[in-house]
mmCIF file of all heavy atoms in Angstrom:
data_model
loop_
_atom_site.group_PDB
_atom_site.id
_atom_site.type_symbol
_atom_site.label_atom_id
_atom_site.label_comp_id
_atom_site.label_asym_id
_atom_site.label_seq_id
_atom_site.Cartn_x
_atom_site.Cartn_y
_atom_site.Cartn_z
ATOM 1 N N ASN A 1 51.150 -33.525 33.478
ATOM 2 C CA ASN A 1 51.651 -34.142 34.689
ATOM 3 C C ASN A 1 50.568 -34.585 35.648
ATOM 4 O O ASN A 1 50.868 -34.886 36.842
ATOM 5 C CB ASN A 1 52.635 -33.150 35.445
ATOM 6 C CG ASN A 1 51.894 -31.897 35.817
ATOM 7 O OD1 ASN A 1 50.755 -31.671 35.522
ATOM 8 N ND2 ASN A 1 52.661 -31.009 36.500
ATOM 9 N N ALA A 2 49.289 -34.533 35.174
ATOM 10 C CA ALA A 2 48.198 -34.951 35.991
ATOM 11 C C ALA A 2 47.128 -35.601 35.113
ATOM 12 O O ALA A 2 46.020 -35.088 34.957
ATOM 13 C CB ALA A 2 47.612 -33.788 36.724
ATOM 14 N N LEU A 3 47.504 -36.734 34.541
ATOM 15 C CA LEU A 3 46.617 -37.473 33.663
ATOM 16 C C LEU A 3 45.457 -38.144 34.465
ATOM 17 O O LEU A 3 45.671 -38.498 35.629
ATOM 18 C CB LEU A 3 47.368 -38.525 32.853
ATOM 19 C CG LEU A 3 48.471 -37.983 31.941
ATOM 20 C CD1 LEU A 3 49.285 -39.224 31.339
ATOM 21 C CD2 LEU A 3 47.836 -37.167 30.795
ATOM 22 N N PRO A 4 44.375 -38.440 33.814
ATOM 23 C CA PRO A 4 43.322 -39.148 34.529
ATOM 24 C C PRO A 4 43.738 -40.577 34.786
ATOM 25 O O PRO A 4 44.632 -41.133 34.225
ATOM 26 C CB PRO A 4 42.153 -39.085 33.472
ATOM 27 C CG PRO A 4 42.808 -39.014 32.136
ATOM 28 C CD PRO A 4 44.003 -38.129 32.376
ATOM 29 N N ALA A 5 42.995 -41.176 35.704
ATOM 30 C CA ALA A 5 43.348 -42.550 36.141
ATOM 31 C C ALA A 5 42.971 -43.537 35.032
ATOM 32 O O ALA A 5 43.664 -44.562 34.831
ATOM 33 C CB ALA A 5 42.613 -42.910 37.428
ATOM 34 N N GLU A 6 41.997 -43.195 34.252
ATOM 35 C CA GLU A 6 41.500 -44.174 33.226
ATOM 36 C C GLU A 6 42.227 -44.012 31.915
ATOM 37 O O GLU A 6 41.781 -43.467 30.949
ATOM 38 C CB GLU A 6 40.041 -43.980 32.980
ATOM 39 C CG GLU A 6 39.081 -44.100 34.176
ATOM 40 C CD GLU A 6 38.941 -42.798 34.965
ATOM 41 O OE1 GLU A 6 39.657 -41.762 34.523
ATOM 42 O OE2 GLU A 6 38.149 -42.651 35.810
ATOM 43 N N VAL A 7 43.498 -44.420 31.889
ATOM 44 C CA VAL A 7 44.366 -44.453 30.634
ATOM 45 C C VAL A 7 44.869 -45.848 30.480
ATOM 46 O O VAL A 7 44.953 -46.619 31.413
ATOM 47 C CB VAL A 7 45.454 -43.440 30.731
ATOM 48 C CG1 VAL A 7 44.941 -42.016 30.730
ATOM 49 C CG2 VAL A 7 46.417 -43.745 31.924
ATOM 50 N N PRO A 8 45.209 -46.282 29.235
ATOM 51 C CA PRO A 8 45.690 -47.573 29.011
ATOM 52 C C PRO A 8 46.997 -47.810 29.736
ATOM 53 O O PRO A 8 47.749 -46.855 30.055
ATOM 54 C CB PRO A 8 45.936 -47.649 27.466
ATOM 55 C CG PRO A 8 45.030 -46.591 26.899
ATOM 56 C CD PRO A 8 44.995 -45.523 27.985
ATOM 57 N N ASP A 9 47.363 -49.108 29.998
ATOM 58 C CA ASP A 9 48.700 -49.387 30.639
ATOM 59 C C ASP A 9 49.814 -48.839 29.855
ATOM 60 O O ASP A 9 49.850 -48.982 28.571
ATOM 61 C CB ASP A 9 48.824 -50.917 30.807
ATOM 62 C CG ASP A 9 47.825 -51.515 31.743
ATOM 63 O OD1 ASP A 9 47.287 -50.766 32.602
ATOM 64 O OD2 ASP A 9 47.617 -52.747 31.693
ATOM 65 N N GLY A 10 50.733 -48.147 30.482
ATOM 66 C CA GLY A 10 51.906 -47.614 29.837
ATOM 67 C C GLY A 10 51.695 -46.290 29.137
ATOM 68 O O GLY A 10 52.684 -45.779 28.595
ATOM 69 N N PHE A 11 50.465 -45.794 29.131
ATOM 70 C CA PHE A 11 50.196 -44.558 28.408
ATOM 71 C C PHE A 11 51.018 -43.382 28.983
ATOM 72 O O PHE A 11 51.595 -42.547 28.274
ATOM 73 C CB PHE A 11 48.725 -44.255 28.410
ATOM 74 C CG PHE A 11 48.349 -42.929 27.717
ATOM 75 C CD1 PHE A 11 48.274 -42.943 26.307
ATOM 76 C CD2 PHE A 11 48.173 -41.821 28.400
ATOM 77 C CE1 PHE A 11 47.953 -41.749 25.601
ATOM 78 C CE2 PHE A 11 47.855 -40.615 27.700
ATOM 79 C CZ PHE A 11 47.724 -40.619 26.329
ATOM 80 N N ALA A 12 51.084 -43.241 30.287
ATOM 81 C CA ALA A 12 51.695 -42.157 30.953
ATOM 82 C C ALA A 12 53.219 -42.109 30.594
ATOM 83 O O ALA A 12 53.802 -41.103 30.307
ATOM 84 C CB ALA A 12 51.560 -42.191 32.446
ATOM 85 N N GLU A 13 53.790 -43.312 30.587
ATOM 86 C CA GLU A 13 55.248 -43.453 30.207
ATOM 87 C C GLU A 13 55.466 -43.070 28.740
ATOM 88 O O GLU A 13 56.500 -42.427 28.492
ATOM 89 C CB GLU A 13 55.740 -44.889 30.517
ATOM 90 C CG GLU A 13 55.726 -45.232 31.973
ATOM 91 C CD GLU A 13 54.356 -45.622 32.559
ATOM 92 O OE1 GLU A 13 53.410 -45.745 31.783
ATOM 93 O OE2 GLU A 13 54.289 -45.697 33.825
ATOM 94 N N ARG A 14 54.613 -43.519 27.932
ATOM 95 C CA ARG A 14 54.764 -43.200 26.461
ATOM 96 C C ARG A 14 54.568 -41.671 26.270
ATOM 97 O O ARG A 14 55.344 -41.074 25.449
ATOM 98 C CB ARG A 14 53.746 -43.915 25.650
ATOM 99 C CG ARG A 14 53.995 -45.439 25.580
ATOM 100 C CD ARG A 14 52.861 -46.226 24.956
ATOM 101 N NE ARG A 14 52.297 -45.568 23.790
ATOM 102 C CZ ARG A 14 50.949 -45.385 23.551
ATOM 103 N NH1 ARG A 14 50.122 -45.888 24.453
ATOM 104 N NH2 ARG A 14 50.545 -44.808 22.489
ATOM 105 N N LEU A 15 53.644 -41.066 26.939
ATOM 106 C CA LEU A 15 53.408 -39.649 26.830
ATOM 107 C C LEU A 15 54.611 -38.885 27.244
ATOM 108 O O LEU A 15 55.100 -37.958 26.625
ATOM 109 C CB LEU A 15 52.192 -39.203 27.588
ATOM 110 C CG LEU A 15 51.725 -37.809 27.358
ATOM 111 C CD1 LEU A 15 51.128 -37.566 26.020
ATOM 112 C CD2 LEU A 15 50.778 -37.354 28.480
ATOM 113 N N ALA A 16 55.246 -39.351 28.399
ATOM 114 C CA ALA A 16 56.418 -38.671 28.901
ATOM 115 C C ALA A 16 57.590 -38.800 27.955
ATOM 116 O O ALA A 16 58.340 -37.860 27.783
ATOM 117 C CB ALA A 16 56.765 -39.272 30.278
ATOM 118 N N ALA A 17 57.684 -39.980 27.391
ATOM 119 C CA ALA A 17 58.835 -40.181 26.473
ATOM 120 C C ALA A 17 58.598 -39.346 25.168
ATOM 121 O O ALA A 17 59.601 -38.791 24.639
ATOM 122 C CB ALA A 17 58.851 -41.666 25.994
ATOM 123 N N THR A 18 57.324 -39.194 24.743
ATOM 124 C CA THR A 18 57.091 -38.365 23.575
ATOM 125 C C THR A 18 57.434 -36.903 23.898
ATOM 126 O O THR A 18 58.048 -36.233 23.035
ATOM 127 C CB THR A 18 55.627 -38.514 23.176
ATOM 128 O OG1 THR A 18 55.283 -39.803 22.845
ATOM 129 C CG2 THR A 18 55.234 -37.565 22.017
ATOM 130 N N LEU A 19 57.085 -36.402 25.022
ATOM 131 C CA LEU A 19 57.403 -35.058 25.429
ATOM 132 C C LEU A 19 58.921 -34.812 25.491
ATOM 133 O O LEU A 19 59.443 -33.761 25.129
ATOM 134 C CB LEU A 19 56.806 -34.692 26.797
ATOM 135 C CG LEU A 19 55.276 -34.315 26.714
ATOM 136 C CD1 LEU A 19 54.701 -34.209 28.160
ATOM 137 C CD2 LEU A 19 55.098 -32.975 25.995
ATOM 138 N N THR A 20 59.624 -35.793 26.023
ATOM 139 C CA THR A 20 61.058 -35.719 26.136
ATOM 140 C C THR A 20 61.712 -35.588 24.730
ATOM 141 O O THR A 20 62.600 -34.776 24.518
ATOM 142 C CB THR A 20 61.680 -36.960 26.872
ATOM 143 O OG1 THR A 20 61.157 -36.960 28.197
ATOM 144 C CG2 THR A 20 63.148 -36.881 26.901
ATOM 145 N N THR A 21 61.236 -36.401 23.795
ATOM 146 C CA THR A 21 61.700 -36.376 22.466
ATOM 147 C C THR A 21 61.415 -34.988 21.807
ATOM 148 O O THR A 21 62.280 -34.445 21.123
ATOM 149 C CB THR A 21 61.040 -37.496 21.609
ATOM 150 O OG1 THR A 21 61.469 -38.736 22.184
ATOM 151 C CG2 THR A 21 61.547 -37.455 20.197
ATOM 152 N N LEU A 22 60.169 -34.529 22.027
ATOM 153 C CA LEU A 22 59.778 -33.283 21.448
ATOM 154 C C LEU A 22 60.655 -32.116 21.960
ATOM 155 O O LEU A 22 61.128 -31.286 21.169
ATOM 156 C CB LEU A 22 58.290 -33.010 21.809
ATOM 157 C CG LEU A 22 57.777 -31.640 21.423
ATOM 158 C CD1 LEU A 22 57.859 -31.430 19.945
ATOM 159 C CD2 LEU A 22 56.274 -31.469 21.945
ATOM 160 N N ARG A 23 60.845 -32.071 23.288
ATOM 161 C CA ARG A 23 61.687 -30.999 23.817
ATOM 162 C C ARG A 23 63.108 -31.033 23.368
ATOM 163 O O ARG A 23 63.751 -30.053 23.033
ATOM 164 C CB ARG A 23 61.621 -30.997 25.376
ATOM 165 C CG ARG A 23 60.252 -30.627 25.912
ATOM 166 C CD ARG A 23 60.208 -30.778 27.458
ATOM 167 N NE ARG A 23 58.965 -30.228 27.933
ATOM 168 C CZ ARG A 23 58.178 -30.854 28.785
ATOM 169 N NH1 ARG A 23 58.466 -32.108 29.179
ATOM 170 N NH2 ARG A 23 57.035 -30.339 29.234
ATOM 171 N N ALA A 24 63.671 -32.278 23.238
ATOM 172 C CA ALA A 24 65.025 -32.379 22.768
ATOM 173 C C ALA A 24 65.153 -32.015 21.340
ATOM 174 O O ALA A 24 66.116 -31.317 20.847
ATOM 175 C CB ALA A 24 65.502 -33.882 22.935
ATOM 176 N N THR A 25 64.130 -32.371 20.455
ATOM 177 C CA THR A 25 64.167 -31.956 19.085
ATOM 178 C C THR A 25 64.104 -30.397 18.913
ATOM 179 O O THR A 25 64.834 -29.894 18.123
ATOM 180 C CB THR A 25 62.948 -32.597 18.349
ATOM 181 O OG1 THR A 25 63.093 -34.007 18.486
ATOM 182 C CG2 THR A 25 62.963 -32.216 16.862
#
């Protein structure tokens, strides 16, 4: 929940979606 500023566009959203999928699974 505190990623660095220097990440590719959309990375934070993809990471959040991956975590949501993981928790649901």
Side-chain angles (χ1 to χ4, degrees):
N1 62 356
L3 297 174
E6 305 88 352
V7 294
D9 291 341
F11 181 80
E13 293 78 10
R14 288 170 45 225
L15 188 73
T18 299
L19 280 170
T20 298
T21 300
L22 173 60
R23 290 179 173 128
T25 299

